[in-house]
Amino acid sequence: MGRYVFKAKDLAPLRAWIDTPIARQVLESAVPVKRFDTQKVFREEPIELPVSIQSRDTPDGVPLHDILKAVQAEDPTISGITVRGDRLVLKHATKPLAGQRDKVRELLKDSRKLNALRPQQPPKPQALKGESLEKLLLDDETPDAEWLRAFRRYAVANLIKPSKRTSK
């Protein structure tokens, strides 16, 4: 069923109520629930990626924002990307040229180039001592899980007294 557009004759029986101050206040404060984007968007067919995208389940995957930067370097008309499962959908602000589209597809099928976008892994906490441990703990870029692992190792080695430790 389509949307019904009210006309003046439809609202005539309600005119007495609409003209009251409280009804005016309600009507003026109403905000549309959904706004439709009038800009035309060009979407491409989904592309299957040869690498995994970084997520909570796959923290060692390639970050999506880095993939976006790489494809925008090849084709500036790309305004966004969407991931559905293991497929990637490109969104263009204007109609892409065939040459640019081919360059982007080559990039997205090259696992070597995509793997180069992965962030460098910090050293393992068990190998850290002294200054390197302090550097890891003070670095704002250290992921929370890695920071907690490093701090737990440090706390067990240096803060918890041996008499309090229990063997299992």
Side-chain angles (χ1 to χ4, degrees), residues 86-100:
D86 59 345
R87 294 174 181 252
L88 186 95
V89 179
L90 299 173
K91 187 168 87 170
H92 297 268
T94 60
K95 189 166 181 152
L97 300 174
Q100 291 173 328

Side-chain angles (χ1 to χ4, degrees), residues 55-143:
S55 68
R56 181 175 38 150
D57 298 331
T58 56
D60 60 331
V62 180
L64 192 58
H65 63 275
D66 289 339
I67 294 174
L68 177 61
K69 286 178 190 176
V71 295
Q72 283 178 331
E74 295 291 333
D75 184 1
T77 65
I78 295 176
S79 60
I81 53 178
T82 306
V83 176
R84 299 278 185 245
D86 59 345
R87 294 174 181 252
L88 186 95
V89 179
L90 299 173
K91 187 168 87 170
H92 297 268
T94 60
K95 189 166 181 152
L97 300 174
Q100 291 173 328
R101 184 180 299 142
D102 293 339
K103 285 181 183 179
V104 169
R105 288 200 180 264
E106 282 179 32
L107 172 69
L108 293 175
K109 291 184 183 215
D110 188 355
S111 61
R112 187 180 50 79
K113 287 182 182 176
L114 291 175
N115 280 323
L117 299 174
R118 289 180 195 256
Q120 297 299 322
Q121 295 295 326
K124 295 291 180 191
Q126 55 264 44
L128 298 173
K129 300 222 187 261
E131 288 181 15
S132 58
L133 177 64
E134 185 178 341
K135 183 179 175 186
L136 177 75
L137 292 174
L138 293 175
D139 186 12
D140 289 337
E141 297 297 317
T142 303

Side-chain angles (χ1 to χ4, degrees), residues 13-72:
L14 299 174
R15 180 60 53 202
W17 180 79
I18 291 174
D19 290 336
T20 62
I22 190 76
R24 280 277 164 218
Q25 185 179 4
V26 168
L27 292 172
E28 289 170 0
S29 64
V31 177
V33 175
K34 186 174 185 179
R35 295 177 191 213
F36 295 98
D37 190 9
T38 57
Q39 180 183 8
K40 185 163 175 121
V41 175
F42 299 93
R43 285 185 167 66
E44 288 193 24
E45 290 296 314
I47 302 166
E48 195 162 333
L49 292 177
V51 296
S52 61
I53 302 290
Q54 187 178 43
S55 68
R56 181 175 38 150
D57 298 331
T58 56
D60 60 331
V62 180
L64 192 58
H65 63 275
D66 289 339
I67 294 174
L68 177 61
K69 286 178 190 176
V71 295
Q72 283 178 331

